[in-house]
Amino acid sequence: MNNPQVRNTKSRFTNHPSRLLYKLIDDTYLDENGKIKEEYKFSINIPKFKIQNSKLIGKPEDKFETMLFLPEGEGRKGEGGLRTKGYFKFSYENLMVNDECLIMDESKKDNISDKNKIQNPTSKIQHSKKWYIVDHDGNPVEPAPDYIQTQITSHLSQLTSHSSPLTSLPLITVITVVYNGEKYLEETIQSVINQTYPNVEYIIIDGGSTDGTLDIIKKYEDYIDYWVSEKDNGIYDAMNKGVDVALGKWVYFLGSGDIFYSSHVLKSIFIDLKDLGSAFILFGDIIYDDGRLFKSRYGTSLYYRNTIHHQGAFYRRKLFDKFRYQSNYIVSADYELNLMLFCNKNPSLNVKIIIAKCNNEGISNQVNLRGYIEEIEIRHKYLGRINLLKYDLLTLLRYLIKRFSKNVLLRK
């Protein structure tokens, strides 16, 4: 599928004021059900968006690829979402323009192929700002269509009261992994689609559920960017699948049964904070259904245990160009990512809010010896030159205390 004709016309999807959907694939390539034809799905080539054979063109040193669609896995029960209908989401930058000429700081000049188009920002020419679609490397591609310009302006006028205007609207990818989650999934979905932040990509990876989970997913299909239902090798394998197709600048994992603490969480981080600096991880607190507060900490406390709950952390998408969760870890694969980031001195930012309300039934809440052993293995992998005995003993002591406490509660 070479250079498909890109269409920017409105549709029943783009009319919704909270969704910045871009019609990337022409209707010519859709079947009678309005989905991209199978023969074209893995041969989409759009050079200006750095898409080749339905994959994003990465850097030579990247270890993993980003795909538009997942290859069919074992026992696939379904696939869908807005992306399968040709609609995609992108990050946006508000750039100065004059007759479609960009004006930007020196650090971004290399992102423009024709440097003669760059104007002097101190000139007396009349300029105006315009929202531009940017690719996954942050390079401006083209001006957003008028209906998206209008939607962004409308949203920001309602959400901000800052004297200085926002210049960035990054796409946030939220990934939910689920298996037989009909009891809680709908509440999780609603907490995502009701966020007041306007630029959210939602991906659901289902492990081939046998209950009513698929019915719930299909009920919200017009709000879900991409979903797939097929067998997987556990939670972290499913999370990796979500990462494989994530197009956002930031990635966040919200488990089935967990919900955002409020409808303004994403707004509080990505609009109100404005300057996220060079952080690779943004973290905050979570609260459990029973009222327990989990205070996230990023630092040497990670030597002892995982002090960042993955429902309380946002990761830069670029991290996953070189990292995937180890699916052989049942409980603690996210601990590896957090410890690796700290050991490599990747900067972080504490957003100082409660991000999510988490279900008490999650696997991380179970007193499972396997999880504590995994923590020890991961710590030795990244901290080999540090005397780890005291941390290992503290980990085992923590397990024994929790096991004892649980047994006492069971006897009551």
Side-chain angles (χ1 to χ4, degrees), residues 273 275-277 279-284 298 347-352:
L273 287 182
D275 184 12
L276 302 178
F280 275 70
I281 176 174
L282 311 173
F283 66 92
Y298 185 83
S348 65
L349 178 65
N350 186 345
V351 297
K352 298 180 180 179

Side-chain angles (χ1 to χ4, degrees), residues 107-331:
S107 66
K108 289 188 176 181
K109 285 188 178 182
D110 289 339
N111 294 336
I112 308 300
S113 58
D114 184 359
K115 294 183 181 181
N116 293 326
K117 290 185 177 181
I118 301 176
Q119 305 293 319
N120 183 351
T122 60
S123 67
K124 296 181 179 180
I125 301 173
Q126 293 296 317
H127 303 297
S128 61
K129 281 203 167 186
K130 199 168 192 177
W131 288 97
Y132 266 69
I133 297 171
V134 296
D135 64 22
H136 60 287
D137 291 321
N139 303 318
V141 176
E142 64 183 25
D146 289 343
Y147 69 87
I148 287 183
Q149 303 276 352
T150 300
Q151 287 181 2
I152 292 176
T153 301
S154 174
H155 265 284
L156 296 187
S157 68
Q158 299 174 45
L159 295 177
T160 63
S161 57
H162 300 288
S163 56
S164 57
L166 288 174
T167 59
S168 178
L169 199 65
L171 178 63
I172 314 304
T173 298
V174 177
I175 299 170
T176 293
V177 302
V178 59
Y179 178 70
N180 286 347
E182 66 174 336
K183 183 177 179 182
Y184 300 113
L185 180 61
E186 186 162 21
E187 186 179 17
T188 299
I189 292 174
Q190 289 178 349
S191 85
V192 176
I193 66 178
N194 288 329
Q195 285 294 301
T196 55
Y197 182 78
N199 203 16
V200 181
E201 173 183 67
Y202 193 27
I203 294 169
I204 297 181
I205 307 296
D206 175 59
S209 292
T210 57
D211 61 358
T213 295
L214 253 60
D215 293 331
I216 295 172
I217 292 173
K218 291 176 181 178
K219 175 181 176 181
Y220 290 94
E221 179 138 23
D222 287 352
Y223 294 87
I224 299 168
D225 292 274
Y226 185 67
W227 67 267
V228 67
S229 176
E230 61 190 21
K231 291 183 179 179
D232 56 50
N233 293 318
I235 294 173
Y236 292 109
D237 181 45
M239 289 168 68
N240 283 338
K241 287 183 177 183
V243 167
D244 285 342
V245 291
L247 301 181
K249 184 175 181 178
W250 293 90
V251 175
Y252 174 77
F253 300 95
L254 187 68
S256 176
D258 303 325
I259 60 173
F260 280 112
Y261 188 66
S262 81
S263 61
H264 300 298
V265 166
L266 296 182
K267 169 189 172 293
S268 298
I269 298 172
F270 296 102
I271 289 183
D272 294 347
L273 287 182
K274 293 189 69 174
D275 184 12
L276 302 178
S278 58
F280 275 70
I281 176 174
L282 311 173
F283 66 92
D285 304 328
I286 65 103
I287 192 168
Y288 290 108
D289 283 343
D290 60 10
R292 288 179 296 131
L293 180 67
F294 183 98
K295 296 283 291 183
S296 294
R297 298 190 303 280
Y298 185 83
T300 54
S301 58
L302 284 165
Y303 291 174
Y304 166 43
R305 65 187 178 94
N306 192 6
T307 53
I308 297 179
H309 199 292
H310 76 255
Q311 267 88 338
F314 295 81
Y315 299 97
R316 280 196 186 267
R317 175 62 183 81
K318 67 170 63 175
L319 288 170
F320 296 100
D321 290 336
K322 296 178 174 60
F323 178 88
R324 287 294 185 273
Y325 293 105
Q326 297 297 313
S327 57
N328 58 302
Y329 293 133
I330 305 300
V331 181

